[in-house]
Amino acid sequence: KECKKRAAEIFDEALFKTPPPRDDCPICFLRLPLIESETQNKSCCGKTICTGCLYADMIARRSAEEICPFCRTPAPTSNEEEFERIKKRVEVGDVIAMYSLGCRYRRGGGVPQDSNKALELWHRAVKLGCARSHSNIGLAYFNGEGVEEDKTKAKYHWELGAMGGSVASRHNLGVFELDTGNMNRAMKHFMISSGFGDDDSLKGIQNGFSDGHVSKDEFEKALRAHKESKDEMQSDQRDEVRRWQSLNSQS
């Protein structure tokens, strides 16, 4: 019993340790946004670039033609061309390309929908250190998409993803613990993921504060960490893209 208890303590030390920082945009060197729609993984060079830099590059060139700001390769002219580029990135071991192609197969984006193919790519990616893929594998097990529903395996993959720095995995763990009544563990996860700028995790802490599970000092600490993380991801170019996207969605 003592061995099991110590093993659980060692695991929790690793699980709740501050994870590695998120990557920066290779153009503006600001922390990449959490929202995937605010970044693009370029199939030409494999770099993940914020949409603010993509926008700024087009403005600087006074052209609507999309060219990679990093390697200056023109954007693919068809889904087929982009698919072939991503496949080549996968063949050379690009884990983000594996993750992205898996997402395409999951939703049927330009390729036939295939949950098994998506899982195959994500499993390849996690073996090479892609924490984000653990998040999607966990969701597949949680919802029974392409695999038999298994909440234990879902939690296992989210734990691995969280330790690798996946904010989505960390938040999902918080929700999982919340749903199973483990309030203390849930708030610990939310404290970490909100510190990376996750809005939903901050709402979880706010609810925990209202229900008496989070102290005033802890809530204030979470608010400060969340704001600092948001500030690290902020730029005028990114704000301009958000305004443009907002206007387009209303028209």
Side-chain angles (χ1 to χ4, degrees), residues 168-192:
S169 291
R170 180 73 65 179
H171 174 76
N172 289 342
L173 273 179
V175 175
F176 185 95
E177 297 290 5
L178 192 67
D179 290 343
T180 51
N182 298 319
M183 302 301 295
N184 185 48
R185 294 179 71 84
M187 294 304 124
K188 281 185 177 181
H189 286 304
F190 287 154
M191 287 290 288
I192 294 173

Side-chain angles (χ1 to χ4, degrees), residues 30 74-75 107 119 122 129 140 145 187 194 218 232 242 251:
L30 295 176
R107 65 176 185 269
L119 283 164
W122 292 333
E145 294 179 8
M187 294 304 124
S194 68
E218 289 172 328
E232 289 179 353
R242 292 187 192 106
S251 60

Side-chain angles (χ1 to χ4, degrees), residues 79-186:
N79 287 332
E80 291 76 17
E81 183 183 355
E82 184 172 21
F83 179 69
E84 288 303 317
R85 286 188 184 183
I86 296 173
K87 278 180 61 179
K88 288 181 180 179
R89 298 298 311 170
V90 170
E91 289 167 4
V92 297
D94 186 327
V95 295
I96 301 302
M98 293 175 194
Y99 169 81
S100 300
L101 189 55
C103 292
R104 282 173 174 265
Y105 275 112
R106 181 190 184 189
R107 65 176 185 269
V111 294
Q113 190 172 13
D114 189 333
S115 296
N116 291 326
K117 188 67 176 177
L119 283 164
E120 177 189 328
L121 285 159
W122 292 333
H123 276 291
R124 285 177 62 187
V126 297
K127 289 179 181 178
L128 296 173
C130 180
R132 293 163 69 185
S133 290
H134 275 300
S135 176
N136 284 7
I137 295 171
L139 282 173
Y141 275 113
F142 191 85
N143 297 319
E145 294 179 8
V147 290
E148 186 176 347
E149 184 180 307
D150 190 325
K151 300 295 194 289
T152 301
K153 286 185 178 179
K155 183 183 180 185
Y156 167 76
H157 279 285
W158 288 336
E159 287 173 337
L160 292 178
M163 286 187 281
S166 166
V167 178
S169 291
R170 180 73 65 179
H171 174 76
N172 289 342
L173 273 179
V175 175
F176 185 95
E177 297 290 5
L178 192 67
D179 290 343
T180 51
N182 298 319
M183 302 301 295
N184 185 48
R185 294 179 71 84

Side-chain angles (χ1 to χ4, degrees), residues 1-241:
K1 288 184 179 179
E2 287 298 320
C3 289
K4 287 184 178 179
K5 180 182 178 182
R6 182 54 188 151
E9 289 173 349
I10 292 172
F11 178 78
D12 276 1
E13 287 173 7
L15 179 61
F16 291 108
K17 182 180 178 182
T18 302
R22 286 173 50 77
D23 292 335
D24 295 339
C25 172
I27 305 299
C28 64
F29 300 110
L30 295 176
R31 197 78 72 208
L32 284 168
L34 280 178
I35 302 172
E36 289 195 4
S37 62
E38 295 184 1
T39 65
Q40 273 191 27
N41 178 252
K42 307 306 289 184
S43 57
C44 42
C45 57
K47 299 296 183 182
T48 301
I49 299 171
C50 74
T51 52
C53 285
L54 297 174
Y55 168 81
D57 182 66
M58 288 190 288
I59 293 297
R61 291 185 289 105
R62 298 182 179 181
S63 171
E65 180 187 6
E66 190 175 330
I67 294 175
C68 176
F70 189 84
C71 69
R72 313 312 295 173
T73 302
T77 57
S78 65
N79 287 332
E80 291 76 17
E81 183 183 355
E82 184 172 21
F83 179 69
E84 288 303 317
R85 286 188 184 183
I86 296 173
K87 278 180 61 179
K88 288 181 180 179
R89 298 298 311 170
V90 170
E91 289 167 4
V92 297
D94 186 327
V95 295
I96 301 302
M98 293 175 194
Y99 169 81
S100 300
L101 189 55
C103 292
R104 282 173 174 265
Y105 275 112
R106 181 190 184 189
R107 65 176 185 269
V111 294
Q113 190 172 13
D114 189 333
S115 296
N116 291 326
K117 188 67 176 177
L119 283 164
E120 177 189 328
L121 285 159
W122 292 333
H123 276 291
R124 285 177 62 187
V126 297
K127 289 179 181 178
L128 296 173
C130 180
R132 293 163 69 185
S133 290
H134 275 300
S135 176
N136 284 7
I137 295 171
L139 282 173
Y141 275 113
F142 191 85
N143 297 319
E145 294 179 8
V147 290
E148 186 176 347
E149 184 180 307
D150 190 325
K151 300 295 194 289
T152 301
K153 286 185 178 179
K155 183 183 180 185
Y156 167 76
H157 279 285
W158 288 336
E159 287 173 337
L160 292 178
M163 286 187 281
S166 166
V167 178
S169 291
R170 180 73 65 179
H171 174 76
N172 289 342
L173 273 179
V175 175
F176 185 95
E177 297 290 5
L178 192 67
D179 290 343
T180 51
N182 298 319
M183 302 301 295
N184 185 48
R185 294 179 71 84
M187 294 304 124
K188 281 185 177 181
H189 286 304
F190 287 154
M191 287 290 288
I192 294 173
S193 47
S194 68
F196 279 82
D198 185 67
D199 295 337
D200 290 334
S201 294
L202 185 63
K203 290 176 184 176
I205 294 172
Q206 185 175 8
N207 292 336
F209 174 67
S210 299
D211 295 337
H213 300 293
V214 174
S215 70
K216 180 181 178 183
D217 286 345
E218 289 172 328
F219 185 36
E220 290 176 348
K221 180 181 177 182
L223 288 170
R224 287 193 298 270
H226 180 266
K227 183 182 183 305
E228 288 172 5
S229 183
K230 286 287 192 181
D231 289 345
E232 289 179 353
M233 296 185 282
Q234 205 75 12
S235 75
D236 291 341
Q237 293 97 325
R238 293 178 186 182
D239 288 342
E240 188 62 33
V241 172

